[in-house]
């Protein structure tokens, strides 16, 4: 929160990202145990989840040309205010839930925008937001994406400790009694960060208090011709289909601890979210 800009969700992307003059390759990092393919193409992913509203804009730049990358399909997902993920079982929201998940296609400026909520925390991980980009994705007739496509980037966004503290002083975040993990303690923040790339978005309050909502933005450099589909960091937990979510029998905890194999050691816990699962269109392909 610099206080030096007056951005809103209506500010042009060309103005928001005008100050970004470099194209730096962002490191790859695990997508964790809860990535779900086949999610809805939509900007607003909040559904019935209560928390601090977050309007997030991300610009993707090809590091080989320093030009924006249009036509990327970008998945976003994070836990809710009390540390629960949708789209998976394992004590989470359930296979048929879709809250705080969605896909957007990057525009001519290489930008995607999402309306979500600021993520909560769960044991073993710092507060973070997942992003995964694909090219050559099949778009289903009901507005969802297929499980195909080349994975061009797997990333996570992290958030400053002072901002997290302000958010977690509000409800329902304050009701989460699970042990908190800082950025310095997180096993993946050191992988996503390097000498040139900073995974912390810039942000402003959309009012006088954090409860009025946040707008955040970040530029991410990728190799637009890369494909990480066969990488250990890429793991699919489930696929969202016409009849509901289907767990991936081969899905495990991919991309284990840095420098090792196996699980990432972070099973989220927390209160179950309220609200019924959204209906699933019968026209989605299996």
């Amino acid at each position: 929160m610099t206080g030096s800009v007056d951005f809103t969700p209506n500010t042009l992307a060309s103005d928001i990202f005008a100050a970004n003059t470099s194209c730096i390759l962002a490191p790859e990092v695990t997508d964790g145990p809860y990535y779900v393919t086949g999610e809805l193409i939509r900007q607003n992913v909040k559904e019935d989840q209560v928390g601090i509203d977050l309007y997030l804009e991300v610009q993707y730049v090809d590091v080989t040309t320093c030009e924006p990358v249009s036509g990327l399909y970008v998945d976003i997902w994070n836990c809710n205010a009390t540390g629960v993920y949708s789209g998976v079982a394992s004590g989470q929201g359930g296979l048929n839930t879709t809250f705080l998940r969605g896909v957007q296609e990057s525009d001519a400026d290489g930008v995607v925008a999402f309306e979500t909520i600021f993520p909560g925390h769960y044991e073993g991980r710092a507060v973070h937001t997942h992003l995964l980009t694909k090219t050559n994705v099949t778009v289903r007739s009901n507005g969802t994406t297929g499980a195909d496509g080349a994975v061009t980037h797997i990333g996570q966004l992290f958030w400053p400790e002072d901002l997290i503290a302000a958010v977690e002083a509000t409800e329902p975040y304050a009701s989460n009694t699970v042990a908190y993990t800082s950025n310095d303690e997180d096993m993946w923040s050191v992988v996503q960060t390097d000498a040139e790339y900073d995974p912390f978005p810039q942000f402003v309050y959309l009012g006088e208090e954090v409860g009025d909502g946040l707008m955040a933005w970040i530029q991410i450099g990728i190799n637009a011709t890369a494909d990480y589909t066969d990488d250990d960091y890429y793991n699919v937990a489930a696929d969202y289909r016409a009849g509901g979510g289907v767990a991936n029998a081969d899905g495990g905890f991919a991309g284990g601890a840095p420098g090792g194999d196996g699980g990432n050691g972070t099973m989220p816990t927390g209160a179950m979210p309220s609200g019924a699962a959204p209906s699933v269109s019968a026209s989605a392909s299996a």
Side-chain angles (χ1 to χ4, degrees):
M1 183 181 176
T2 65
S4 61
V5 295
D6 190 24
F7 293 159
T8 74
N10 296 320
T11 303
L12 295 176
S14 57
D15 292 333
I16 293 172
F17 294 102
N20 294 312
T21 58
S22 62
C23 45
I24 299 169
L25 183 65
E28 303 300 312
V29 72
T30 180
D31 64 4
Y34 295 140
Y35 172 58
V36 177
T37 56
E39 293 294 347
L40 296 161
I41 299 173
R42 56 182 181 173
Q43 183 181 64
N44 189 329
V45 302
K46 292 186 295 186
E47 295 187 12
D48 63 350
Q49 295 302 301
V50 177
I52 300 299
D53 288 338
L54 172 63
Y55 187 89
L56 175 66
E57 292 199 4
V58 183
Q59 183 183 50
Y60 288 91
V61 176
D62 189 337
V63 296
T64 64
T65 64
C66 289
E67 295 294 330
V69 186
S70 62
L72 291 172
Y73 282 85
V74 181
D75 275 90
I76 190 173
W77 72 102
N78 57 257
C79 69
N80 69 3
T82 54
V84 175
Y85 281 94
S86 69
V88 289
S90 303
Q92 302 303 303
L95 285 166
N96 296 335
T97 59
T98 58
F99 60 83
L100 305 181
R101 294 181 182 267
V103 180
Q104 280 282 282
E105 182 181 9
S106 61
D107 62 18
D109 293 312
V111 174
V112 293
F114 290 100
E115 295 177 50
T116 182
I117 67 168
F118 195 85
H121 75 271
Y122 53 89
E123 189 171 0
R125 285 302 318 273
V127 174
H128 63 284
T129 300
H130 288 275
L131 294 169
L132 186 145
T133 69
K134 288 183 175 181
T135 58
N136 301 317
V137 172
T138 298
V139 178
R140 296 167 174 167
S141 60
N142 71 326
T144 63
T145 54
D148 56 352
V151 178
T152 54
H153 181 63
I154 307 169
Q156 297 181 25
L157 304 181
F158 292 85
W159 303 94
E161 296 291 349
D162 55 351
L163 175 60
I164 296 170
V167 170
E168 296 223 335
T170 70
E171 292 291 351
Y173 301 88
S175 299
N176 187 353
T177 59
V178 175
Y180 175 78
T181 300
S182 70
N183 289 312
D184 288 343
E185 298 167 326
D186 188 81
M187 64 190 295
W188 292 109
S189 61
V190 294
V191 177
Q192 187 68 101
T193 308
D194 63 19
E196 295 182 319
Y197 178 72
D198 180 358
F200 289 82
Q202 299 181 73
F203 69 96
V204 292
Y205 284 13
L206 291 176
E208 295 298 320
E209 305 291 339
V210 70
D212 296 323
L214 298 162
M215 178 177 176
W217 63 97
I218 190 170
Q219 186 184 66
I220 296 177
I222 66 170
N223 180 348
T225 62
D227 187 357
Y228 295 97
T229 305
D230 295 326
D231 194 276
D232 286 343
Y233 279 160
Y234 182 62
N235 177 64
V236 178
D239 185 47
Y240 186 58
R241 303 183 184 181
V246 178
N248 178 13
D250 296 326
F253 299 142
D261 297 322
N264 67 7
T266 53
M267 287 288 289
T269 58
M272 292 297 292
S274 60
S279 61
V280 183
S281 170
S283 64
S285 73

